[in-house]
């Protein structure tokens, strides 16, 4: 168990990568930017880190970054939510290759990270803090931006396969290249496991099968005109234990198909000073649930979101950019089961504008406003501003940020036959943070510290008095995040993170006023180290420690803190072949991220990787 009084100096360690070596980010303003222009807190997990860690589950990578808390209902593939800086899991906006993938058929439009495996994912950006000016509804806690690889010059191919505990098989391959005006790539990943019992103390294993594919094609017709096409697909087949009452062994099955598509046209005008992007994006998420495998589905949900996006960037001079845009989206929701069917849809029209200005060397200031018009509740206007100042060419950066967030009520919360409330208003937040980044010893050490606070009002919750959803809650989260990346010699990389998150109920008159929000531990720390030996062997380890938390709003059901350790190694065999392996939960720690659900004990895996 970790204590609140843990020394910050002892825990300032663990963000995945010498993140500031990735100097270009896209999540802060929706366009490619130097980190020196961004006043918001962003962590980058790059392709090298993803490969080095050998991690199967995206959430296990996110858990080593500052400010992230998660909960998983048992085996790999089970329902998994991610909280940023103590916000609700439904207040995390998720993008895959530029497409918003939050599920319109979910109770709160949340994204289930359970079926999202690393597969052919090559980069993840995590933006912490409210940012609805750029990203619209749901970006209250922050944004998780998932990206597959861009095509390589010429031709390239990669493949890997590994096997391990509980008859787990994981295989993936991708190929990409460029020729003439075309650049493209395609990838596929397959994962299956017998798993563990999702119910703690259960005896039958809950397995999963997961297939993911991705494709990308860019056609550069001229230097000024190009077409981008992207697609992502996930099929997940999961055995799970019944959640009606306490988790218990059962024969329940869920099947999910997720379709993600993007088609965008890019046009540069005025000698490149004005760039335009017009795109159509599509999400469809189908979920079917079976009480017994092999029968017809007993109930199910389907959510789709069709979006049109226009974004313009005008840079009249090097010191100023104007970003402006219009978006239209039409989420819809369908349900069947228990002798009933239901469907609903809404329309949201949005306009936004941002100014990015560099008044003098070392200072970048960004400010913007957005208005969203919702066909049910009307309009919502949000503001945001941030600044980044470096007095010494980027060695020291001081960051300030203010952001507002809003989250539209979900279609389920608005229109469900039994519990819907068409009078719901959007959830609103105000987020503040201040921080600094310091580079030392010519970039061999990088330290970042950020203090933050967020106040959220009109938060939607189920009203036990009216048996409908209502704008009942207020919450507050405040804390400190710190990360460090060290490379004392070329062969050794050490990264780490610490975060203190004090997330509490601030709903006046509530019996839970002042209580900690459920499943949000106050303290979490992670440390990773990797060393490449002179003969080619790479060895590494990650240790993650998480504080006690509570599983319920009344703070009567405690989840004990835990410490997990994992080790890994890889060895190249010639230019194109590599063998690798890892042991997770090295010391066989017993723990839980959700009350009543099981977690993996010690488990080992090994495989082979080939590159061309």
């Amino acid at each position: 168990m970790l204590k609140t009084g843990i020394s910050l100096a002892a825990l300032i360690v663990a963000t995945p990568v010498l993140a500031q070596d990735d100097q270009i980010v896209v999540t802060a303003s929706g366009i490619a930017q130097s980190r020196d222009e961004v006043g918001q807190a962003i962590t980058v997990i790059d392709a090298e880190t993803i490969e080095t860690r050998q991690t199967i589950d995206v959430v296990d990578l996110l858990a080593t970054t500052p400010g992230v808390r998660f909960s998983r209902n048992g085996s790999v593939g089970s329902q998994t939510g991610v909280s940023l800086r103590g916000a609700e899991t439904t207040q995390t906006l998720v993008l895959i290759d530029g497409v918003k993938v939050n599920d319109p058929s979910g109770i709160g439009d949340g994204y289930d990270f359970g079926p999202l495996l690393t597969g052919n994912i090559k980069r993840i950006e995590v933006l912490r803090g409210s940012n609805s000016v750029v990203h619209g509804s749901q970006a209250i806690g922050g944004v998780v931006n998932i990206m597959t690889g861009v095509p390589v010059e010429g031709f390239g191919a990669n493949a890997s396969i590994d096997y391990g505990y509980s008859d787990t098989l994981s295989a993936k391959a991708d190929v990409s290249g460029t020729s003439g005006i075309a650049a493209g790539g395609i990838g596929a990943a397959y994962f299956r496991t017998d798993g563990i019992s999702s119910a703690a103390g259960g005896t039958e294993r809950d397995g999963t099968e997961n297939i993911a594919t991705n494709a990308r094609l860019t056609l550069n017709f001229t230097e000024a005109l190009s077409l981008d096409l992207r697609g992502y697909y996930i099929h997940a087949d999961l055995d799970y234990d019944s959640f009606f009452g306490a988790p218990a062994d059962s024969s329940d099955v869920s099947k999910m198909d997720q379709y993600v598509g993007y088609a965008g046209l890019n046009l540069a005008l005025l000698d490149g000073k004005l760039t335009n992007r017009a795109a159509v994006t599509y999400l469809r998420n189908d979920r079917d649930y079976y009480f017994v495998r092999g029968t017809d589905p007993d109930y199910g949900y389907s959510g789709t979101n069709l979006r049109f996006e226009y974004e313009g960037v005008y840079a009249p001079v090097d010191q100023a950019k104007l970003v402006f845009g219009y978006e239209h989206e039409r989420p819809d929701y369908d349900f069947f089961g228990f002798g009933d069917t239901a469907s609903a849809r809404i329309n949201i029209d949005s306009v936004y504008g941002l100014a990015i200005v560099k008044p003098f060397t070392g200072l970048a200031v960004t400010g913007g406003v957005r208005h969203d018009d919702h066909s049910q509740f009307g309009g919502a206007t949000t503001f945001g501003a941030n600044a980044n100042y470096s007095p010494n060419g980027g060695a020291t950066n001081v960051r300030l940020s203010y952001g507002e967030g809003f989250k539209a009520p979900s279609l389920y919360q608005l229109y469900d036959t039994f519990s819907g409330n068409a009078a719901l208003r959007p959830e609103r937040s105000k987020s503040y943070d201040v921080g600094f980044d310091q580079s030392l010893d010519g970039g061999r050490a990088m330290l970042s510290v950020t203090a933050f606070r967020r106040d959220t009002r009109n938060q939607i919750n189920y009203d036990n008095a009216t048996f409908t959803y209502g704008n009942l809650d207020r919450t507050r989260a405040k804390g400190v995040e710190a990360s460090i990346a060290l490379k004392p010699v070329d062969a050794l990389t050490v990264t780490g993170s610490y975060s203190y998150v004090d997330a509490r109920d601030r709903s006046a008159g509530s019996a839970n006023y002042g209580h900690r929000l459920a499943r949000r531990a106050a303290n979490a720390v992670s440390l990773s180290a990797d060393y490449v030996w002179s003969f080619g062997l790479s060895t590494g380890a990650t240790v993650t420690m998480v504080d006690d938390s509570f599983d319920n709003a009344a703070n009567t059901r405690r989840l004990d803190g835990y410490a997990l350790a994992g080790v890994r190694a890889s060895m190249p065999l010639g230019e194109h072949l590599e063998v690798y392996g890892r042991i997770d939960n090295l010391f066989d720690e017993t723990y839980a991220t959700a009350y009543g659900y099981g977690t993996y004990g010690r488990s080992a895996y090994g495989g082979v990787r080939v590159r061309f």
Side-chain angles (χ1 to χ4, degrees):
M1 179 180 70
L2 300 178
K3 298 297 184 183
T4 303
I6 287 180
S7 164
L8 177 63
L11 294 177
I12 291 182
V13 273
T15 214
V17 272
L18 290 166
Q20 280 72 5
D21 286 348
D22 266 318
Q23 287 298 316
I24 303 299
V25 294
V26 299
T27 310
S29 63
I31 63 173
Q33 275 185 288
S34 165
R35 295 182 70 102
D36 290 342
E37 293 181 4
V38 177
Q40 296 163 302
I42 298 178
T43 296
V44 176
I45 306 173
D46 66 1
E48 181 181 356
T49 301
I50 295 171
E51 183 175 292
T52 299
R53 297 280 180 85
Q54 304 178 28
T55 304
I56 292 295
D57 199 317
V58 166
V59 165
D60 291 334
L61 284 171
L62 296 177
T64 64
T65 65
V68 173
R69 307 292 188 264
F70 80 96
S71 61
R72 180 189 291 123
N73 292 354
S75 189
V76 171
S78 299
Q79 175 73 38
T80 304
V82 170
S83 167
L84 300 178
R85 287 184 171 175
E88 300 299 313
T89 59
T90 55
Q91 295 170 344
T92 299
L93 179 73
V94 183
L95 304 172
I96 295 180
D97 280 341
V99 180
K100 181 179 177 181
V101 293
N102 292 70
D103 184 3
S105 69
I107 290 179
D109 287 351
Y111 183 75
D112 178 10
F113 281 84
L116 184 64
L117 308 182
T118 52
N120 287 310
I121 291 168
K122 302 300 184 184
R123 181 182 174 95
I124 304 171
E125 293 184 10
V126 184
L127 181 147
R128 301 181 298 280
S130 300
N131 193 3
S132 282
V133 169
V134 174
H135 296 288
S137 178
Q138 292 191 288
I140 285 180
V143 181
V144 177
N145 190 357
I146 308 289
M147 289 166 264
T148 57
V150 297
V152 300
E153 293 290 335
F155 171 81
N158 300 274
S160 66
I161 184 168
D162 55 67
Y163 181 81
Y165 174 79
S166 195
D167 199 21
T168 297
L169 175 68
S170 177
K172 59 185 178 182
D174 68 88
V175 59
S176 68
T178 58
S179 178
I181 69 168
I186 188 168
Y190 175 80
F191 176 86
R192 70 153 310 278
T193 181
D194 287 346
I196 61 171
S197 174
S198 288
T203 58
E204 53 87 27
R205 293 178 181 266
D206 294 302
T208 188
E209 182 180 57
N210 187 291
I211 299 170
T213 60
N214 62 282
R216 178 189 293 254
L217 176 66
T218 300
L219 298 174
N220 296 297
F221 302 114
T222 68
E223 290 186 0
L225 180 65
S226 65
L227 174 68
D228 283 335
L229 302 173
R230 309 169 200 158
Y232 201 94
Y233 169 72
I234 301 175
H235 169 77
D237 184 320
L238 172 72
D239 297 324
Y240 70 96
D241 287 331
S242 175
F243 53 82
F244 294 105
D249 282 345
S250 69
S251 58
D252 291 79
V253 174
S254 71
K255 295 183 180 181
M256 185 208 75
D257 290 283
Q258 184 178 95
Y259 308 85
V260 180
Y262 175 98
L265 195 64
N266 308 290
L267 176 64
L269 300 171
L270 305 178
D271 295 325
K273 291 182 178 180
L274 174 63
T275 60
N276 304 270
R277 180 180 64 86
V280 176
T281 75
Y282 179 76
L283 165 74
R284 177 166 177 162
N285 213 57
D286 294 330
R287 296 178 289 133
D288 292 331
Y289 296 87
Y290 308 76
F291 295 138
V292 178
R293 183 179 291 278
T295 63
D296 291 333
D298 293 282
Y299 63 102
Y301 303 85
S302 179
T304 65
N305 194 358
L306 179 66
R307 289 169 56 92
F308 169 77
E309 305 172 348
Y310 167 76
E311 178 187 73
V313 182
Y314 179 54
V317 295
D318 291 341
Q319 293 78 23
K321 290 179 184 175
L322 298 176
V323 183
F324 51 93
Y326 164 77
E327 298 172 355
H328 171 80
E329 65 178 292
R330 193 195 69 187
D332 63 52
Y333 150 86
D334 292 285
F335 165 79
F336 73 88
F338 311 112
D340 189 24
T341 61
S343 63
R345 56 189 42 85
I346 55 170
N347 290 280
I348 305 175
D349 291 279
S350 312
V351 292
Y352 63 91
L354 282 169
I356 304 170
V357 181
K358 301 177 184 177
F360 55 83
T361 301
L363 177 65
V365 179
T366 301
V369 61
R370 179 188 185 100
H371 182 78
D372 293 85
D373 186 69
H374 191 284
S375 59
Q376 176 62 40
F377 65 73
T381 301
T382 50
F383 299 90
N386 64 82
N388 188 314
Y389 175 64
S390 175
N392 50 16
T396 304
N397 290 85
V398 178
R399 296 176 282 102
L400 298 170
S401 177
Y402 168 76
E404 295 182 357
F406 88 98
K407 179 183 176 299
S410 71
L411 292 169
Y412 182 92
Q413 292 165 337
L414 286 168
Y415 301 121
D416 177 64
T417 303
F418 304 103
S419 58
N421 178 0
L424 287 171
R425 303 183 303 279
E427 302 175 347
R428 304 297 298 261
S429 70
K430 294 182 178 181
S431 175
Y432 318 80
D433 58 73
V434 56
F436 73 88
D437 309 313
Q438 180 64 54
S439 176
L440 302 168
D441 193 20
R444 286 192 175 273
M446 185 70 69
L447 171 67
S448 297
V449 177
T450 305
F452 68 88
R453 171 173 163 165
R454 183 190 62 255
D455 292 293
T456 306
R457 69 183 191 278
N458 292 340
Q459 195 155 295
I460 297 170
N461 206 341
Y462 186 75
D463 189 341
N464 290 310
T466 64
F467 304 106
T468 62
Y469 286 95
N471 295 101
L472 304 177
D473 296 345
R474 286 176 174 258
T475 63
R476 174 175 295 167
K478 58 184 179 180
V480 177
E481 302 162 341
S483 65
I484 197 169
L486 304 173
K487 202 171 184 67
V489 295
D490 290 343
L492 176 63
T493 301
V494 180
T495 59
S497 72
Y498 165 78
S499 56
Y500 170 70
V501 178
D502 183 17
R504 295 182 182 269
D505 190 317
R506 306 296 293 179
S507 307
S510 168
N512 298 320
Y513 182 87
H515 289 181
R516 291 193 177 276
L517 300 184
R519 299 182 181 178
R520 272 150 279 193
N523 291 281
V525 59
S526 183
L527 171 66
S528 292
D530 289 276
Y531 187 81
V532 180
W533 300 82
S534 59
F535 54 93
L537 175 67
S538 174
T539 54
T542 296
V543 176
T544 300
M545 295 182 289
V546 179
D547 201 356
D548 291 359
S549 62
F550 295 98
D551 192 66
N552 60 347
N555 288 186
T556 57
R557 195 161 55 214
R558 181 179 294 274
L559 295 171
D560 289 335
Y562 56 90
L564 301 177
V567 295
R568 53 189 171 268
S570 63
M571 181 70 183
L573 302 176
E575 183 180 355
H576 301 293
L577 192 65
E578 182 181 27
V579 294
Y580 60 91
R582 73 184 190 279
I583 301 175
D584 296 335
N585 196 358
L586 181 64
F587 301 109
D588 205 24
E589 175 88 344
T590 300
Y591 67 103
T593 61
Y595 187 82
Y597 288 97
T599 53
Y600 278 73
R602 184 187 299 112
S603 52
Y605 310 86
V608 60
R609 182 182 295 121
V610 61
R611 302 184 183 88
F612 296 100

